[in-house]
Amino acid sequence: MASFSVAATVIAQSPQRARDLGVPFDGTPGLLDAITDVSGVEVGQATLVSGNGPLKVGEGPIRTGVTVVFPRGKANSDPVYAGWFAQNGNGEMTGTTWVEESGFLESPVAITNTHSVGVVRDSIIAWGVKHKALKQDWSLPVVAETWDGYLNDINGFHVKPEHVFSALDSAHGGPVDEGAVGGGTGMVCYGFKGGIGTASRVLTKEQGAYTVGVLVQCNCGRRPQLTIAGVPVGKLIPQDVPYSMFKDGKTGYDKGDVGSIIIVVATDAPLLPHQLKRIARRATMGLARTGSTSGNGSGDIFIAFSTANPHADAEPGPNTVLAVSNERITPLFNATVEATEEAIVNAMVAAKTMTGIDGHTVIGLPHDQLQKALKEYNR
């Protein structure tokens, strides 16, 4: 039986985050430097870790989980304006056709492993029925995935409805646990241990004083691509470490990026669905800052939502809503790029070395070597 933990309000963020190591980032973070700096946003996670040794499908080892993000908190099912974007579509995010059509996100956003999307989707519907949280008589939840089969018994289907319910029920504001937790438990990023990461940016009063928060599940990239604060960190760390994925200095480039990343962007700025699609696109640029080129095998899918304009879909309408002028949206683009970059690095800094199926080991990003690389480039 997998050990099963659920993030609770007493759980603090990782004791070390990228800024603690001196990584310089652009922009001003919010109080928590997390997606929950956007008022109302709640995050819940269920982490499943069990077993060691050879893979026995259906038994383990298990290294997986689920992460959920509620735009207005679990007690408030009021839909939010949203937009989504697929930088490369070798992946899945359910429910996006209705987001595109309606302009609204009517469910929490959940992230898990590739082969657990179905059970997570169905469990969200069941939870919504129980809590009378369905906007329509039918439900089209947004559930996204990345592949954790290097460390996890992914074909064992270990994520169960009770795990999803626990993540949903435990969702809370405040600090967000990062690294090898929730849906990110078994993920690998740039050849190092990856997982869940988050960050935020606060605009100046002149720019509207809005907040932008980002949460990522990162499972993308190859070692030679990794760039942090403009420094080619992946090329500077010795390559004789596990899961380097290349031997001759070229294979990492030739193989390309065969991982995936899911990015969730939240803001309290009043934006319309087409503007939120523009915001979602900008997450690509934050990802690019860390070195990814979104190769053919990578599922890089992003969704953005705004917590402004409550009851924008109230019946019978028409309803009055607010929107930021396109002439003043650039600072929100900047904030999205900056927070996305930092969230990815935070995930890697928090994630520790993990061994999974068949003894596969992925090392955590060595903090001392990261600091040495930054120093070498005067960063």
Side-chain angles (χ1 to χ4, degrees):
M1 181 69 179
S3 61
F4 169 41
S5 65
V6 178
T9 54
V10 296
I11 294 179
Q13 290 176 322
S14 171
Q16 279 198 308
R17 307 183 78 197
R19 287 177 182 267
D20 298 327
L21 301 180
V23 180
F25 293 108
D26 296 329
T28 302
L31 180 63
L32 298 170
D33 198 8
I35 193 170
T36 46
D37 281 318
V38 178
S39 181
V41 173
E42 294 181 349
V43 176
Q45 306 195 75
T47 302
L48 285 71
V49 176
S50 179
N52 295 287
L55 170 64
K56 295 182 180 179
V57 176
E59 297 182 20
I62 304 168
R63 306 285 187 271
T64 195
V66 60
T67 296
V68 298
V69 179
F70 282 93
R72 300 191 190 277
K74 59 181 176 290
N76 187 345
S77 59
D78 184 20
V80 292
Y81 279 141
W84 77 288
F85 177 68
Q87 166 64 14
N88 194 68
N90 201 336
E92 179 65 283
M93 182 180 282
T94 69
T96 48
T97 50
W98 182 234
V99 171
E100 184 79 14
E101 183 75 16
S102 69
F104 285 102
L105 171 64
E106 299 177 356
S107 74
V109 178
I111 321 174
T112 188
N113 75 68
T114 308
H115 293 178
S116 295
V117 169
V119 68
V120 173
R121 177 191 179 278
D122 292 350
S123 299
I124 288 175
I125 296 174
W127 188 91
V129 169
K130 177 182 178 181
H131 292 272
K132 296 180 172 55
L134 301 190
K135 178 63 180 175
Q136 308 177 97
D137 291 336
W138 55 91
S139 181
L140 302 166
V142 173
V143 181
E145 54 74 32
T146 60
W147 186 81
D148 58 13
Y150 186 77
L151 292 172
N152 175 52
D153 173 22
I154 192 170
N155 293 326
F157 309 110
H158 297 286
V159 176
K160 305 298 184 184
E162 58 263 32
H163 304 135
V164 186
F165 299 152
S166 292
L168 293 164
D169 289 335
S170 70
H172 58 86
V176 177
D177 212 18
E178 297 178 296
V181 295
T185 300
M187 303 305 168
V188 183
C189 192
Y190 293 109
F192 295 106
K193 190 67 191 69
I196 298 295
T198 189
S200 70
R201 291 294 182 273
V202 177
L203 274 57
T204 66
K205 182 178 180 180
E206 292 72 25
Q207 294 169 332
Y210 302 120
T211 300
V212 174
V214 171
L215 182 139
V216 305
Q217 180 166 297
C218 62
N219 190 54
C220 61
R222 288 293 173 258
R223 180 71 54 79
Q225 297 174 318
L226 177 60
T227 303
I228 296 178
V231 176
V233 172
K235 296 177 182 176
L236 296 174
I237 293 180
Q239 306 305 329
D240 57 349
V241 293
Y243 205 76
S244 67
M245 296 303 292
F246 73 110
K247 302 294 183 182
D248 57 10
K250 295 182 178 180
T251 307
Y253 293 111
D254 297 340
K255 180 71 173 177
D257 186 347
V258 296
S260 298
I261 185 169
I262 302 299
I263 302 176
V264 181
V265 185
T267 184
D268 56 8
L271 299 174
L272 300 177
H274 71 282
Q275 294 175 309
L276 287 159
K277 179 180 280 289
R278 299 181 73 192
I279 292 288
R281 287 196 189 102
R282 267 55 185 194
T284 296
M285 304 183 78
L287 173 61
R289 285 192 178 193
T290 63
S292 173
T293 56
S294 294
N296 175 68
S298 191
D300 304 337
I301 310 177
F302 320 135
I303 188 166
F305 62 80
S306 167
T307 60
N309 291 312
H311 311 300
D313 69 335
E315 295 292 344
N319 301 308
T320 301
V321 298
L322 300 175
V324 170
S325 162
N326 283 335
E327 295 301 317
R328 295 179 60 83
I329 201 171
T330 296
L332 294 166
F333 291 164
N334 295 341
T336 301
V337 173
E338 293 165 0
T340 298
E341 176 189 20
E342 184 172 357
I344 294 168
V345 180
N346 276 338
M348 298 178 68
V349 168
K352 308 302 181 185
T353 298
M354 177 177 283
T355 298
I357 64 172
D358 297 327
H360 292 172
T361 297
V362 182
I363 68 167
L365 178 65
H367 293 182
D368 58 342
Q369 294 188 52
L370 168 59
Q371 291 174 308
K372 180 180 178 182
L374 293 171
K375 185 176 181 180
E376 183 176 334
Y377 277 72
N378 296 316
R379 295 293 286 158

